[in-house]
Amino acid sequence: MITEIREQFRATVGGEDFAVSASFPVLNPATASLVAHAPAVAADDLDAVFAAAHDAYLAWRLDEKFRRHSLRRAAAVLEAATTELAPVLTAEQGKPLRDAAQEIQFTAVWLRYYADLDVPREIVQDDEAGFAEVLRRPLGVVAAITPWNFPITLAMWKIAPALRAGNTIVVKPSPYTPLTTLAVGRLLRDVLPPGVLNVVAGPDPLGAAITAHPAPRKISFTGSTRTGKKVAQAAAGNLKRMTLELGGNDPAIVLGDVDVAAIAPALFWSAFANAGQICLAVKRVYAHASIHDELVDALAAIARSVRVGDGADPATQMGPLNNRAQLEIVDGLVHDALAHGANAVAGGRALPGPGYFFEPTVISGIEDGARLVDEEQFGPALPVVRFRDEADAIARADAGDYGLTASIWSSDVEHAASLAGQLETGQVSINAHGSGVLPNLPFAGRKWSGFGVENGVWGLHEYMATQVISTPARGAR
Ligand code: NAD
């Protein structure tokens, strides 16, 4: 299957293959073996890449109806290519095949949402003193830089609103997972005018070269907080706009009145889906002392039952970590917890290679201050911390630098919702985690988890500049 699609692993610039002289290897995290070589675009190539995007911008910005039509056609093309693209995503990312297929299908959801979104006019004044309307204009050429955990969904969170707004875009996926994004760029050549969507890949420092390049008016970045700070510094040099979707250390607060057996599966998969490599995965659980032990046992029982393996195997429920560096981070944090007296109630160690597998791990006997609780593990190792007092749990949940999403689990939804407002996070779900991650709702981390908003009309406006047109009163014209 991947041999057949190999032709698609080309950089797309100006609607064509972009000629490059170098390439870099992309490994399958389940086997540590080569999937394919990807074309390596160099920093010196970026003038030509951004020039192609700028040429396309001059016409693309003019016709909104055509843009909306094009997004709908793009949705249909990607949906039809699901069975072709999903194995590539699994091979380079590691996730189970059905999750990869779902990720491809989400692209169509986002494209259609932005194609269909009607934005009302914003007339601020219309009286005898004058007329004033706020209009929103595209920014120009924008750049998108994406991580390796959801390469396609997260690219589309940027591509769909940016293109709907009238911008053209240069997308750079992570060097760990460039292949599916390159294939998407290639497939959409048939739908979008040349230069509207450009996809380039290359080992770092290509990302840094993109943020430092004077051409893009905006950088939309999803990745780690550490890199996000570098992006902010580089973007400041040219006063570029930016959206930063960064790391998280999402708390799930489980109150004493829950039905443990009923909530345990949903809570478990909120932490372990995609092998825990989700920015808004549950990364620490605060469990009320009255249900703590029962909850730990329930989560551990599920962890022990999970089928871990190559995502290409239909029986696999959890794949590997995406890369060796991430495996070592998770391994280090779990070792540190165990060395300080915590218990691995399930799992606790990396599995023998060659792939980057880690056992689904539930850790108890751990407190705030342990690195596994305080830092983002981004992997399948979940600490469960005991609490007695709700106010204390909220304070501990809010204590760190992150503020992406959170959840509160309780039989009393009204009470849980009343606690939610105290959390300094962009979203809070009740009796679920991440239930607000939808195309029409704003996704915006607080503190070190982000800057700016993605999704919904708020996300669209982030790709537009306001322009006021004021005229004499209609009657006086
Ligand atoms: P990363 O920061 O290492 O890399 C992200 C991207 O930035 C890659 O494409 C990389 O090539 C590029 N890059 C590296 N150095 C750069 C620089 N100096 N300037 C510009 N770009 C540069 O992140 P990752 O390891 O790929 O992803 C995991 C992280 O992403 C986790 O912290 C996770 O929480 C976060 N994440 C956040 C969200 C969100 O929406 N908040 C979503 C997914 C992942």
Side-chain angles (χ1 to χ4, degrees), residues 145-149 154 157 172-175 204 207-208 211 221-225 227-228 230-231 245-248 278-279 283 326 376 378 404 443 449 454:
I145 300 177
T146 54
W148 45 256
N149 61 333
L154 295 173
W157 283 23
K172 190 209 78 69
S174 164
D204 288 316
T211 50
F221 171 85
T222 302
S224 64
T225 296
T227 310
K230 290 185 195 161
V231 170
E245 293 295 354
L246 307 177
I278 304 183
C279 54
K283 301 211 171 109
Q326 191 60 39
E376 184 187 39
F378 217 61
L404 195 55
F443 187 75
S449 286
E454 294 204 286

Side-chain angles (χ1 to χ4, degrees), residues 284-286 292 336-337 340-342 363-374 383-388 392 396:
R284 47 198 172 124
V285 173
Y286 290 94
H292 171 276
D336 178 77
H340 287 88
I363 301 282
S364 72
I366 192 164
E367 288 295 332
D368 298 84
R371 289 183 56 210
L372 183 62
V373 179
D374 290 0
V384 184
V385 183
R386 190 188 301 264
F387 77 89
R388 291 179 197 284
D392 179 47
R396 285 152 76 182

Side-chain angles (χ1 to χ4, degrees), residues 252-444:
I253 300 172
V254 185
L255 304 186
D257 63 357
V258 294
D259 176 344
V260 169
I263 67 152
L267 180 59
F268 178 87
W269 285 110
S270 299
F272 289 86
N274 210 34
Q277 303 161 113
I278 304 183
C279 54
L280 61 110
V282 170
K283 301 211 171 109
R284 47 198 172 124
V285 173
Y286 290 94
H288 190 267
S290 61
I291 48 87
H292 171 276
D293 293 355
E294 190 187 350
L295 183 65
V296 166
D297 287 347
L299 293 173
I302 301 171
R304 285 190 286 267
S305 75
V306 169
R307 290 277 299 252
V308 178
D310 187 331
D313 177 346
T316 292
Q317 293 175 286
M318 195 183 95
L321 277 299
N322 173 257
N323 53 75
R324 182 171 297 286
Q326 191 60 39
L327 178 70
E328 284 168 5
I329 289 172
V330 175
D331 197 38
L333 290 174
V334 170
H335 262 90
D336 178 77
L338 300 181
H340 287 88
N343 311 315
V345 191
R349 59 186 183 99
L351 293 167
Y356 313 134
F357 293 98
F358 200 88
E359 290 179 323
T361 295
V362 177
I363 301 282
S364 72
I366 192 164
E367 288 295 332
D368 298 84
R371 289 183 56 210
L372 183 62
V373 179
D374 290 0
E375 297 177 23
E376 184 187 39
Q377 68 276 52
F378 217 61
L382 180 67
V384 184
V385 183
R386 190 188 301 264
F387 77 89
R388 291 179 197 284
D389 174 64
E390 281 174 11
D392 179 47
I394 298 279
R396 285 152 76 182
D398 264 342
D401 291 321
Y402 293 111
L404 195 55
T405 80
S407 55
I408 303 176
W409 305 68
S410 169
S411 300
D412 184 344
V413 172
E414 300 303 324
H415 176 61
S418 75
L419 296 176
Q422 298 174 36
L423 289 165
E424 292 182 312
T425 59
Q427 298 193 350
V428 184
S429 304
I430 309 299
N431 292 336
H433 194 92
S435 53
V437 182
L438 295 167
N440 62 338
L441 290 177
F443 187 75

